[in-house]
């Protein structure tokens, strides 16, 4: 029997975790929109955020959200440097070059983490790990609520930036038509490194909010999150921020409902199943318009 | 030919242009003076667009040089030429299709100097293109081809440029819309902005421009005032079908 309170609770959990997936997908889709390249190291940036929080916990005993205040600007700068050093020099090379470069970057990040932290799974134990908030019949985990609050704040800030600021408008213009943007005087190379910095910062934020919830391992977790980011963006329709948010929320709900009502060990598989169905039935993405080439 | 007393805003001096080992343009010289509307016409593949690409700094001449506003153009990203006051209305318009017409225009005034005068520019541009008024909040991609071309020109004007170059604004437009776009270009020229207009549509260009150059297979075949060229046997035969 389907208990309504439990269903609502699962739905809420799905939406909260889906918010984090949305954050990851938005980063990937932003980078794709402006650079027309899939960043295969995106999941590894999520894992970098997780290990950043692990490191600050080990050394200073910081709460992940305190670590986030440091990790966020660092991630942004790291992303910009990575773009300048690795992707900008091959910007005019055939598309597979940047795919391979990000794949290489993924291997380097994963193995550097393996070298530094070893292969055993890591997490950060927070004192409020099992606290819940009770709303009516529904119990919500404090850790998940915190993750939801952080992702909402980040996505809100991102929307404000894209829609309300000059630089945000330049980013959107570059994503819509790079030549057009260049001809009105926008330095689109600078926009690219800026956007890569943003994408990295979003991924790292997601990683930090996730670390109280799950264990990270150096190479495997990165691959999982790159895959999830890809699922989220394709579910929604690649290259659009709003679509990635919808895709993220959907993935979260599908995973949590699947794990609750069917076999929980196949949690990741339910998302992939939804992904396959969408690809088969609506290849332009659930919220996508017919893909236009620019 | 009219005598230029002031130095031209743009002078292309004996340039050879091409891509890799392929030379497309040979020994072409042309200039655009203050307040002039100059046509650069020729058939498909005659090298017109290649000349515009060189003026925008997208390719470097094999030989010769291009001087814009008293300074030689070196290979630079197009955005740097925009910062120097060159507005390039590209082939295919290259609008931001999901952004509103208003936002397309606002993005046109992204550079600091243009941004400072943005409100004034917007009013001036709307006065020049009253046909856009009803569509300011519509996504640019939903407008008709002729209207989109006007948005592209208006967006370029938001830069408050010293000169404008246009690449085939009539391409793909119905004949009636071509007339509208040409009239719009004429209006822009009347504001005193020097324009280099690249077109295949020789008849329409000669109807609006002051002077024109005819390019054939990457070389200049003819140059002269619009009236002279309209009467020239080669132009009448090859381009006007008379």
């Amino acid at each position: 029997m389907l208990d309504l309170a439990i269903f609502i609770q699962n739905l809420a959990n799905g939406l909260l975790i889906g918010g984090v997936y949305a954050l990851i997908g938005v980063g990937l889709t932003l980078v794709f929109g402006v650079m027309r390249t899939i960043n295969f190291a995106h999941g590894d940036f999520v894992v970098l955020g997780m290990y950043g929080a692990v490191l600050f916990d080990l050394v200073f005993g910081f709460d992940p959200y305190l670590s986030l205040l440091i990790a966020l600007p660092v991630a942004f700068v790291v992303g910009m440097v990575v773009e300048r050093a690795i992707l900008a020099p091959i910007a005019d090379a055939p598309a597979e070059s940047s795919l391979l470069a990000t794949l290489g970057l993924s291997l380097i990040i994963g193995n550097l983490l393996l070298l530094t932290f070893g292969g055993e799974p890591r997490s950060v134990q927070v004192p409020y790990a099992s606290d819940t908030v009770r709303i009516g019949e529904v119990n919500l985990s404090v850790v998940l609520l915190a993750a939801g609050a952080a992702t909402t704040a980040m996505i809100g800030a991102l929307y404000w930036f894209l829609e309300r600021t000059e630089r945000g408008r330049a980013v959107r213009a570059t994503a819509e038509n790079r030549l057009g943007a260049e001809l009105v005087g926008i330095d689109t190379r600078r926009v690219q490194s800026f956007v890569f910095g943003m994408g990295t910062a979003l991924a790292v934020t997601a990683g930090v909010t996730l670390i109280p919830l799950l264990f990270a391992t150096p190479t495997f977790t990165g691959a999982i999150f790159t895959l999830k980011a890809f699922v989220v963006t394709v579910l929604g329709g690649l290259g659009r921020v709003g679509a990635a948010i919808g895709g993220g929320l959907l993935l979260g709900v599908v995973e949590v409902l699947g794990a609750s009502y069917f076999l929980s060990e196949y949690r990741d598989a339910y998302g992939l199943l939804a992904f396959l169905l969408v690809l088969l039935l609506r290849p332009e993405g659930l919220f996508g318009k017919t893909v236009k080439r620019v | 030919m009219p005598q230029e007393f002031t130095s031209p805003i743009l002078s292309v001096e004996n340039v050879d242009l091409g891509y890799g080992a392929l030379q497309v343009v040979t020994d072409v010289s042309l200039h655009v003076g203050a307040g002039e509307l100059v046509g650069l016409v020729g058939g498909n593949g005659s090298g017109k667009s290649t000349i515009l690409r060189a003026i925008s700094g997208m390719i470097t001449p094999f030989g010769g040089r291009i001087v814009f506003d008293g300074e030689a153009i070196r290979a630079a990203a197009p955005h740097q030429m925009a910062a120097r006051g060159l507005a390039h209305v590209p082939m295919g318009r290259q609008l931001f299709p999901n952004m509103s017409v208003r936002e397309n225009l606002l993005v046109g005034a992204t550079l600091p100097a243009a941004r400072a005068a943005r409100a004034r520019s917007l009013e001036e541009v709307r006065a020049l293109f009253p046909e856009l008024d009803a569509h300011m909040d519509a996504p640019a991609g939903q407008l008709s081809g002729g209207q989109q071309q006007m948005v592209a020109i208006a967006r370029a004007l938001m830069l408050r440029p010293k000169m404008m170059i246009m690449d085939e604004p009539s391409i793909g437009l119905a004949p009636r819309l071509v007339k509208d776009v040409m009239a719009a270009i004429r209006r822009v020229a009347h504001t005193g902005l020097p324009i280099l207009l690249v077109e295949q549509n020789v008849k329409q260009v000669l109807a609006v421009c002051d002077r024109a150059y005819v390019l054939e297979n990457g070389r200049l075949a003819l140059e002269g005032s619009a009236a002279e060229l309209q009467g020239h046997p080669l132009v009448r035969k090859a381009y006007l079908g008379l």
Side-chain angles (χ1 to χ4, degrees), chain A residues 37-203:
Chain A
T37 191
I38 301 284
N39 174 19
F40 277 105
H42 198 66
D44 297 281
F45 288 133
V46 177
V47 178
L48 266 184
M50 295 171 141
Y51 275 93
V54 167
L55 184 71
F56 280 116
D57 174 51
L58 285 177
V59 179
F60 305 109
F62 280 2
D63 182 89
Y65 287 94
L66 188 57
S67 306
L68 184 59
L69 295 179
I70 302 153
L72 198 62
V74 170
F76 182 73
V77 173
V78 166
M80 292 225 295
V81 170
V82 163
E83 199 280 337
R84 277 282 155 94
I86 298 173
L87 298 173
I90 53 170
D92 298 324
E96 60 267 27
S97 307
S98 44
L99 288 186
L100 288 174
T102 60
L103 205 55
L105 189 61
S106 157
L107 292 174
I108 291 169
I109 294 172
N111 284 286
L112 277 180
L113 288 174
L114 189 59
L115 203 65
T116 315
F117 292 91
E120 71 272 23
R122 300 270 190 166
S123 187
V124 173
Q125 279 299 316
V126 291
Y128 49 88
S130 47
D131 290 1
T132 57
V133 175
R134 192 173 175 84
I135 305 165
E137 299 277 303
V138 179
N139 286 307
L140 291 174
S141 136
V142 168
V143 175
L144 268 180
L145 282 174
T151 54
T152 307
M154 281 297 279
I155 287 176
L158 182 72
Y159 259 93
W160 174 81
F161 167 76
L162 287 175
E163 299 292 330
R164 293 274 175 268
T165 69
E166 288 296 325
R167 185 169 286 208
R169 183 146 55 199
V171 168
R172 283 187 291 131
T174 305
E176 290 214 11
N177 192 316
R178 178 146 182 220
L179 177 60
E182 190 74 34
L183 290 177
V184 299
I186 295 169
D187 184 347
T188 57
R189 293 214 159 195
R190 241 179 65 196
V191 169
Q192 291 194 336
S193 50
F194 185 80
V195 165
F196 204 85
M198 288 204 309
T200 308
L202 291 170

Side-chain angles (χ1 to χ4, degrees), chain B residues 112-149:
Chain B
R115 198 184 304 172
R118 181 183 273 174
R120 189 153 51 94
S121 305
L122 194 60
E123 272 183 36
E124 290 171 9
V125 158
R126 289 180 70 161
L128 265 177
F129 298 97
E131 49 274 76
L132 295 181
D133 254 357
H135 308 283
M136 288 303 280
D137 296 309
Q142 284 181 8
L143 269 57
S144 74
Q147 289 166 339
Q148 286 194 23
Q149 189 61 54

Side-chain angles (χ1 to χ4, degrees), chain B residues 12-32:
Chain B
V12 174
E13 300 167 3
N14 309 99
V15 290
D16 298 326
L17 301 169
Y19 308 93
L22 178 72
Q23 186 163 335
V24 180
V25 169
T26 307
D27 195 28
V28 165
S29 298
L30 58 84
H31 68 274
V32 178

Side-chain angles (χ1 to χ4, degrees), chain B residues 64-77:
Chain B
R65 63 174 199 154
I66 300 172
V67 180
F68 173 69
D69 195 25
E71 212 181 313
I73 294 172
R74 281 171 298 277

